[in-house]
């Protein structure tokens, strides 16, 4: 087994999106090869309804998939195909925009006015860019959760892990999407397929991630919960950790424990032409999408 090196650790950036929703962006709109096949990752978390109530009104997508995971509150969605529904706490929606869809996503706070969720964009390969749009809506009750003897808890949204397989399937990037909680002071190692790009996103507590690129794999300059750990520094709330090549990561939970997403997928390795919510392979395909929007031909007949 080989430990993955840490290529980068960086905080998510405050960003305004939609009709003025305040969120934090971990990556997106820069170098699309960085985490290929993933393009963008947003953490929309607010305590005040005024910061998210205007939501994400009608907008187009083509050539990508969007993955929405709600932790608290709800997200109501409606689209140009006549679909509508609501995602609640723990629910996941995987939308394949394919040839084109217009939709809106309107967040609502919980009883205390709080809203929290994530949205990840996955790229589609050239031969699937113009596939028919479709959804996979998955309630929290259908998503397997595994609890180990030391209290480590893993929610398997997609992919297979520890003998369980997530309910969402047929995704171009064949991703693994895990929601992991580790109790205070516990150190765990998790396998990640060698041929996948991988990142972690910490959103509760703190953790130290072992770094294979440090001398002898030793990263630590401190103790966590009384244990020596191989850590360069602790990664806290809203931190992205981007990994290099290897087949495992090691995590040491901080004194309050840690909760993070561990996401990996097979790179597509194709040219990317990107304009807002539309991601194709060439500039001409982007121009065609813009013409389709102007000419009301963006939504294609079922095929």
């Amino acid at each position: 087994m080989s430990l993955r090196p840490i290529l980068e650790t960086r905080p998510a950036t405050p960003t305004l999106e939609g009709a003025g929703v305040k969120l934090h962006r971990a990556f997106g709109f820069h170098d699309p090869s960085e985490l290929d096949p993933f393009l963008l990752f947003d953490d929309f978390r607010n305590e005040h309804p005024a910061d998210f109530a205007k939501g994400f009104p009608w907008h187009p997508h083509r050539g990508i998939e969007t993955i929405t995971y709600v932790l608290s509150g709800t997200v109501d969605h409606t689209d140009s195909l006549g679909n509508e529904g609501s995602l609640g706490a723990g629910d996941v929606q995987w939308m394949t925009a394919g040839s084109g869809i217009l939709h809106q996503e309107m967040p609502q706070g919980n009883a205390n006015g709080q809203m929290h969720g994530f949205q990840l964009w996955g790229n589609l390969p050239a031969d699937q860019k113009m596939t028919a749009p479709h959804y996979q809506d998955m309630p929290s009750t259908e998503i397997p959760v595994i609890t180990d003897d030391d209290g480590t808890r893993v929610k398997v949204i997609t992919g297979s892990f520890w003998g369980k397989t997530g309910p969402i399937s047929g995704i171009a990037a064949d991703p693994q999407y895990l929601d992991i909680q580790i109790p205070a002071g516990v150190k765990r190692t998790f396998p990640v397929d060698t041929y996948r790009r991988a990142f972690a996103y910490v959103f509760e507590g703190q953790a130290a991630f072992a770094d294979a690129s440090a001398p002898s794999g030793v990263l630590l300059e401190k103790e966590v919960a009384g244990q020596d750990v191989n850590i360069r520094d602790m990664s806290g709330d809203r931190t992205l950790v981007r990994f290099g090549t290897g087949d495992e990561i090691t995590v040491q939970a901080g004194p309050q424990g840690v909760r993070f997403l561990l996401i990996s997928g097979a790179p597509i390795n194709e040219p990317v032409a990107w304009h807002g919510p539309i991601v194709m392979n060439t500039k001409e395909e982007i121009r065609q999408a813009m013409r389709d929007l102007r000419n009301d031909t963006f939504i294609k007949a079922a095929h």
Side-chain angles (χ1 to χ4, degrees):
M1 302 293 284
S2 60
L3 186 67
R4 283 181 175 246
I6 295 174
L7 300 180
E8 182 182 20
T9 301
R10 67 178 184 236
T13 304
T15 306
L16 282 178
E17 196 54 86
V21 176
K22 293 182 180 180
L23 51 81
H24 282 71
R25 179 159 292 157
F27 63 87
F29 295 106
H30 292 296
D31 179 4
S33 68
E34 181 180 80
L35 281 163
D36 179 20
F38 306 115
L39 297 164
L40 175 147
F41 182 85
D42 284 343
D43 178 347
F44 51 96
R45 181 188 334 180
N46 285 294
E47 303 291 324
H48 308 292
D51 292 338
F52 61 81
K54 293 183 180 179
F56 307 91
W58 290 96
H59 59 280
H61 284 294
R62 176 178 285 181
I64 66 170
E65 299 179 288
T66 66
I67 304 94
T68 305
Y69 176 28
V70 177
L71 293 185
S72 61
T74 61
V75 176
D76 297 330
H77 60 91
T78 310
D79 72 30
S80 53
L81 304 178
N83 300 305
E84 60 181 53
S86 183
L87 301 174
D91 297 347
V92 176
Q93 180 190 84
W94 205 292
M95 183 192 78
T96 302
S99 60
I101 199 165
L102 297 168
H103 77 156
Q104 64 174 354
E105 301 158 296
M106 306 304 289
Q108 311 256 350
N110 61 17
N112 297 318
Q114 299 163 329
M115 177 71 216
H116 190 192
F118 307 106
Q119 188 166 94
L120 174 69
W121 289 12
N123 200 6
L124 283 169
D127 62 358
Q128 296 184 40
K129 289 285 189 188
M130 297 299 287
T131 192
H134 63 276
Y135 288 89
Q136 294 185 64
D137 285 346
M138 200 59 58
S140 60
T141 53
E142 298 296 318
I143 301 173
V145 177
I146 311 160
T147 302
D148 207 8
D149 292 343
D150 62 7
T152 297
R153 177 183 175 275
V154 180
K155 185 174 183 179
V156 185
I157 294 170
T158 67
S160 296
F161 189 79
W162 286 353
K164 298 289 185 180
T165 298
I168 295 175
S169 61
I171 305 304
D174 187 26
Q176 186 180 63
Y177 191 133
L178 308 175
D179 177 351
I180 298 175
Q181 288 181 274
I182 306 176
V186 172
K187 184 178 180 180
R188 291 302 303 253
T189 295
F190 301 98
V192 182
D193 187 282
T194 306
Y195 300 101
R196 297 169 180 264
R197 298 272 169 78
F199 69 92
Y201 183 76
V202 178
F203 62 95
E204 285 181 16
Q206 288 184 312
F209 291 81
D211 186 352
S213 63
S216 302
V218 174
L219 315 158
L220 189 58
E221 303 164 352
K222 64 185 81 176
E223 275 196 357
V224 179
Q227 299 182 37
D228 289 329
V229 291
N230 298 331
I231 309 299
R232 184 167 51 201
D233 57 342
M234 296 288 284
S235 296
D237 186 24
R238 293 192 175 111
T239 299
L240 172 75
V241 183
R242 190 163 61 92
F243 300 104
T245 303
D247 53 21
E248 64 182 20
I249 68 163
T250 295
V251 187
Q252 171 77 61
Q256 283 80 48
V258 68
R259 188 175 179 186
F260 64 98
L261 304 178
L262 180 60
I263 299 174
S264 62
I268 295 173
N269 295 319
E270 291 180 352
V272 172
W274 191 344
H275 182 78
I278 298 170
V279 183
M280 304 300 288
N281 295 104
T282 68
K283 291 182 179 179
E284 175 52 33
E285 289 172 331
I286 294 291
R287 287 191 286 268
Q288 182 61 55
M290 296 300 103
R291 288 193 292 269
D292 288 345
L293 282 169
R294 289 193 300 270
N295 298 334
D296 292 329
T297 57
F298 189 79
I299 305 304
K300 306 300 180 183
H303 55 283

